[in-house]
Amino acid sequence: MSENKKLIPKRRFKEFQNADAWEQRELGEVTIINPQTSLPNVFEYVDLESVVGTEMISHRTEEKSSAPSRAQRLAKQGDIFYQTVRPYQKNNYLFDKLDNNYVFSTGYAQLRPEINSDFLMSYIQDERFVLTVLSNCTGTSYPAISPSSLSKIMLNVPINIREQEKVGTFFATLDQTIAFQQRKLEKMKSMKLAYLSEMFPAEGERKPKRRFPGFTDDWEQCELGSMTQYKNGKGHEDRQSDTGKYELINLNSISIDGGLKHSGKYIDEVDDTLLKNDLVMVLSDVGHGDLLGRVALIPEDNRFVLNQRVALLRPNETANSSFLFYYINAHQNYFKSKGAGMSQLNISKNSVETFKDYVPSKDEQIQIGQFFTNLDQTITFQQQKLEKLQNIKKAYLNEMFI
């Protein structure tokens, strides 16, 4: 009895609070794994890159005679496709369509549940299940679990099918809310990209397609050096620590989208500090150089210090800092093209200061800068809403499963 009592989740729907404890079953006992099916002559092929999270983002039409050898698993409504290669990515898909012409590649195990499909789909997303699967994987670069090992993974399942359905429906609804929020966020990001392409002049043009009312003049060609004061950072490695008064801005402080990240490195004594609305630029990068020339805005006075291989660009009276932030990041291809070196790419002061393109009046700069700042704040808010929903789901998974 004491062992059975343990199989009761922390959080349970009211009508099941006095119901029987859950029972422990092997996955292979509650689902048919990789049922045999014959493929149609023409089908929609889904490979490992076609599912992100629990969403199918793409597929392509294939003919059986010329389809990739990886095309194996014909979907039926209610089937779950569980990613067995690198399962920590948790890109798993519950097939809920009525037509049966979707075929999934290897790299997935096809689960045909004999319990509630929504319940099982939620269960396999729980971190405890993922960790159990990982402990049974083989391989290092591409860890994978075999169907036979997967079938032996233990689950805790409600005996009452109505409780399975209730839990499954709860998480399916929550997943729909998360997916809606994800789409909303992606739509906002796509909108920003569209505005960036329309509110800066195309190559060879002196006016953008989209402008604020009252602005009609051509933009004027300017070098970045005429709009900013440039200064290289200094090396502080011999004095930095994990705590301190001033945070270092180093190569790890600037994200690919121009956001400012915490470096986690500090110093206590400095000659000078950065000021609010200063721009800091990445001068060195590895790999493809996608971070070269990326800039971030400093949010407050006298809190940050510039480290080496990062440059300060302090706008003068002709330039608006928010405009320059978007203006420079929108022209990242220029700075990437100026990268020199082998294992590490570097850009020079001269390459930065001689960057030249068309710039509007200060008043129009302010309007553009404020517009994109507001748009980024909205995107950040939507991102926070998504993260909150994801954290809520994680908490519920922890409490509603055993």
Side-chain angles (χ1 to χ4, degrees):
M1 179 68 70
S2 60
E3 288 298 313
N4 200 33
K5 279 288 186 183
K6 293 180 181 178
L7 297 183
I8 296 175
K10 292 179 182 178
R11 184 187 292 266
R12 212 169 184 185
F13 289 104
K14 186 175 181 179
E15 61 264 42
F16 303 109
Q17 286 178 356
N18 297 317
D20 292 336
W22 292 16
E23 59 182 357
Q24 198 166 54
R25 306 283 295 275
E26 289 184 353
L27 182 61
E29 294 181 296
V30 296
T31 184
I32 301 171
I33 298 179
N34 295 340
Q36 295 298 312
T37 54
S38 57
L39 304 189
N41 291 325
V42 178
F43 52 80
E44 299 302 310
Y45 176 56
V46 182
D47 59 24
L48 280 170
E49 286 72 40
S50 299
V51 176
V52 175
T54 59
E55 292 281 292
M56 186 195 298
I57 61 171
S58 65
H59 54 82
R60 66 177 187 267
T61 303
E62 291 282 355
E63 295 185 6
K64 181 178 179 180
S65 58
S66 58
S69 60
R70 300 184 302 278
Q72 292 192 3
R73 314 256 178 247
L74 178 64
K76 287 191 176 181
Q77 189 177 24
D79 285 353
I80 295 171
F81 289 84
Y82 182 77
Q83 183 174 328
T84 55
V85 178
R86 292 174 290 184
Y88 51 81
Q89 293 184 340
K90 297 183 287 184
N91 292 340
N92 308 313
Y93 188 71
L94 171 58
F95 191 83
D96 57 2
K97 299 176 176 62
L98 291 174
D99 52 330
N100 294 332
N101 65 332
Y102 282 76
V103 172
F104 285 68
S105 71
T106 54
Y108 287 104
Q110 183 179 9
L111 311 179
R112 186 159 292 166
E114 297 179 331
I115 59 175
N116 181 263
S117 294
D118 288 322
F119 173 87
L120 183 58
M121 181 63 177
S122 302
Y123 198 107
I124 64 178
Q125 296 174 62
D126 184 43
E127 290 291 341
R128 290 165 292 186
F129 181 86
V130 176
L131 290 173
T132 302
V133 170
L134 287 173
S135 69
N136 286 273
C137 284
T138 58
T140 53
S141 299
Y142 295 92
I145 186 168
S146 67
S148 59
S149 296
L150 186 62
S151 70
K152 292 180 172 58
I153 300 294
M154 301 301 296
L155 310 177
N156 297 308
V157 182
I159 297 173
N160 190 323
I161 186 64
R162 291 193 300 109
E163 187 172 9
Q164 293 177 30
E165 292 170 350
K166 188 92 180 216
V167 174
T169 299
F170 173 82
F171 280 105
T173 303
L174 185 54
D175 277 342
Q176 289 170 2
T177 304
I178 291 172
F180 174 79
Q181 182 60 32
Q182 180 72 58
R183 289 191 293 270
K184 190 174 182 179
L185 176 62
E186 293 305 317
K187 184 177 180 180
M188 292 293 300
K189 290 179 177 179
S190 297
M191 185 186 301
K192 178 184 174 181
L193 290 175
Y195 278 127
L196 283 169
S197 68
E198 293 184 357
M199 295 179 71
F200 290 97
E203 187 173 354
E205 299 290 332
R206 300 189 64 174
K207 293 181 180 180
K209 292 180 181 178
R210 184 188 292 265
R211 301 182 84 172
F212 291 101
F215 297 105
T216 58
D217 293 342
D218 287 353
W219 289 22
E220 298 293 331
Q221 196 171 48
C222 295
E223 288 190 346
L224 188 56
S226 70
M227 304 169 69
T228 60
Q229 175 191 347
Y230 179 101
K231 187 176 182 180
N232 280 317
K234 300 177 181 178
H236 297 285
E237 279 72 15
D238 58 334
R239 293 184 292 139
Q240 70 182 25
S241 63
D242 295 336
T243 59
K245 185 176 180 181
Y246 303 103
E247 184 172 354
L248 284 175
I249 298 295
N250 59 25
L251 293 175
N252 296 319
S253 301
I254 303 170
S255 68
I256 194 69
D257 60 357
L260 192 66
K261 302 186 298 181
H262 289 294
S263 67
K265 300 299 179 183
Y266 300 83
I267 59 174
D268 285 316
E269 296 181 4
V270 296
D271 296 327
D272 57 5
T273 60
L274 296 170
L275 303 178
K276 183 178 180 179
N277 292 327
D278 279 346
L279 292 154
V280 287
M281 175 182 281
V282 174
L283 299 178
S284 297
D285 193 21
V286 295
H288 299 293
D290 291 332
L291 278 169
L292 282 178
R294 292 287 182 188
V295 293
L297 276 168
I298 297 300
E300 61 184 273
D301 290 339
N302 304 320
R303 178 184 162 192
F304 299 96
V305 176
L306 200 63
N307 203 42
Q308 62 185 347
R309 304 313 305 153
V310 184
L312 161 66
L313 298 173
R314 182 166 290 163
N316 60 31
E317 66 280 357
T318 68
N320 172 262
S321 56
S322 294
F323 171 82
L324 280 184
F325 170 76
Y326 296 103
Y327 168 75
I328 294 171
N329 283 331
H331 292 86
Q332 196 270 334
N333 283 340
Y334 164 84
F335 298 99
K336 185 175 178 179
S337 70
K338 295 297 181 180
M342 298 297 289
S343 59
Q344 179 170 281
L345 299 173
N346 302 285
I347 52 176
S348 66
K349 176 183 178 182
N350 182 65
S351 295
V352 174
E353 291 191 314
T354 57
F355 166 63
K356 183 186 298 185
D357 211 317
Y358 291 97
V359 177
S361 67
K362 180 75 172 290
D363 287 342
E364 190 170 3
Q365 289 181 40
I366 293 171
Q367 290 264 27
I368 294 171
Q370 189 60 57
F371 173 82
F372 281 108
T373 297
N374 292 342
L375 187 55
D376 270 346
Q377 289 172 349
T378 303
I379 290 172
T380 298
F381 175 70
Q382 297 299 336
Q383 179 69 50
Q384 290 169 344
K385 285 182 67 175
L386 176 62
E387 291 170 357
K388 184 177 181 180
L389 286 168
Q390 291 169 333
N391 288 332
I392 288 172
K393 178 181 176 180
K394 185 176 181 180
Y396 276 128
L397 284 170
N398 183 60
E399 294 184 356
M400 295 179 69
F401 290 106
I402 304 169

